[in-house]
Amino acid sequence: PVTNSVTSTVEVGAEPSALAVDDQGVWVASSGDGRLSRLDPETGEAGEQIEVGGSPSGLALTPGGVWTSVQASRESHRGGTLRLSWEPHEFQCRRCVDPIDYDNTQSWELASLAYDGLIAYRRVGGAAASTLVGNLATDVPEPSADGRTYVFELRSGIRFSNGDSVRPEDFRSSIERLLRVNGGGSFASYFEGIVGGRECVAEPKGCDLSEGIETDGEDGTITVHLTAPDPDFLHKLTLPLASVLPQDAPPRLARRPIAGTGPYRIVDYDAERGGHLVRNPEFDVWSQDARPDGFPDEITIEISDDPEAQVAAVERGEADYVTVSGAFGGPLSPADVGELAVRQADRLHSAPLPETDYVFLNTNLPPFDDARVRRAINFAVDRRTVVELAGGNLLAQPTCQAVPPGFPGYRAYCPYTLNPNPAGSWVAPDIAAAERLVRESGTRGARIEIWTFPERKPIVRYFVSLLRQLGYRSSLRVLPVGRYYSTIYEGKARIQAGYNGWYADYLAPANFADLYKCSDADNFSQFCDQGVDGQLDRARAAQRSDPA
């Protein structure tokens, strides 16, 4: 750790995905070949190996041995047709299927199958899935000494689904296309740090990134120059927004599928009628970590506005997959998801999302301009009750901080609990501490209005009753979700409290921490502390100097 250098390596198997250490040695799970290896503590060599018949993704040690979580192997169910059932959405362009269509989450799901960027996260289960790996680029480059330049080497031999070779120039034209088509979008800041990017945002039609993105067709290299160091830049390149497309991609959101490099080719898609994907004949696995082959030969998508009918279709074997709840909720209510968990326990699967939901308190308005009141609510809230109202353990888990459990950089820490413990977990509400803080603040009896939208009404109603229990005259205001968010963005200075959820676009902790910076548009709490801003800036600087 002093020199940050590698002193030796040990071959253990394909795609190591998890580590665990005990006095018997170092256990390594290799997801690529379904093995567990034990490194001998005396020799450091790989000794005992165990075939697990699947793809191990996590390890845990007990006094009785080592346990592993295992996913199905990649060869176990290849072929056939995967039948998806999606709910309809209202889009500005219902027939567009484009990886830069930021507002169309369905386009992004399809993009993950058909398009690739220079960098990706490992496509494995467990904590290893947050690791950056080279995708169309051979590896993850280190930034220059000043943190402003990255040099990517493009893999050779990769072709788009139309047969054209992928060239360095395609990356530059793809980022220019992104800024030309959506230069005024809320995500423009992700790439305006490239030299020339701010000018592209200001004048999208004349976007020219030739100074910020240099390409060398002979060497197959791409050199990106930034105006300032950005430790999250590589993470941003994992977004579908940064997908590499052919230079002749249309200069607008595409109504016909664009050629891509992924294992599937989009044949057609319509947000109201559905779509169809088939295997990309030009695809060949170049990295099991970044882009393994797909399982099914074809993927069909049907659109239905009846979630109960969608579930019934899966139960009858007429469909294979339907999402019953996702980021910020879903088509089924939490109660319906709970009933489904009883009826179809072996077919209902839950996976964590990088999302944190919370009630924001406006620190500029009474009574929340008093930190004692904010702390009182944190002590008083029964997080277990909130989890139940959100749908139970399948859909939520309690936390005391913005970064969600399991997210990179997360460490359990909860000072707002009865009987704090070394594990840092929440135990129970401390009503006595909350009532004491309210008395000290002298704010008992103040009027408080909490805003929300219909899907989160049960949770916010609980907070209204909690505030009444603490002695406040609290009330609830409910608006349709679209109107709700437009209102709080426009009038957040006068809203005392409200419900919000934040879903990380990429797996970097700063994506959550920035919510509390003075300048952030999503800082609904209006919290502004120059000292905290400085700490965040210093943390980013430390990340630049030591990415580990």
Side-chain angles (χ1 to χ4, degrees), residues 146-209:
D146 64 0
R148 298 185 181 188
T149 300
Y150 292 84
V151 179
F152 302 87
E153 182 180 349
L154 196 64
R155 296 182 192 270
S156 61
I158 298 179
R159 295 181 179 274
F160 292 108
S161 56
N162 62 5
D164 293 344
S165 296
V166 177
R167 301 168 298 174
E169 296 81 7
D170 295 316
F171 173 73
R172 186 174 73 202
S173 65
S174 297
I175 300 299
E176 288 176 339
R177 175 179 182 264
L178 163 67
L179 295 178
R180 285 192 187 111
V181 177
N182 288 319
S186 59
F187 55 84
S189 60
Y190 286 170
F191 298 102
E192 69 176 4
I194 298 173
V195 171
R198 286 194 177 89
E199 291 77 6
C200 286
V201 171
E203 294 290 341
K205 291 184 179 180
C207 182
D208 182 356
L209 295 178

Side-chain angles (χ1 to χ4, degrees), residues 74 116-135 140 231-240 287-292 354 407-408 504-509 511:
R74 290 176 178 144
D116 294 281
L118 296 178
I119 303 297
Y121 293 113
R122 289 186 68 186
R123 291 185 179 248
V124 296
S130 64
T131 306
L132 290 171
V133 294
N135 193 8
V140 180
D232 290 345
F233 180 67
L234 293 173
H235 289 276
K236 294 170 184 176
L237 291 180
T238 67
L239 295 170
S287 167
Q288 287 286 359
D289 273 348
R291 182 49 99 179
F407 197 81
D505 283 344
Y506 48 84
L507 302 181
N511 210 237

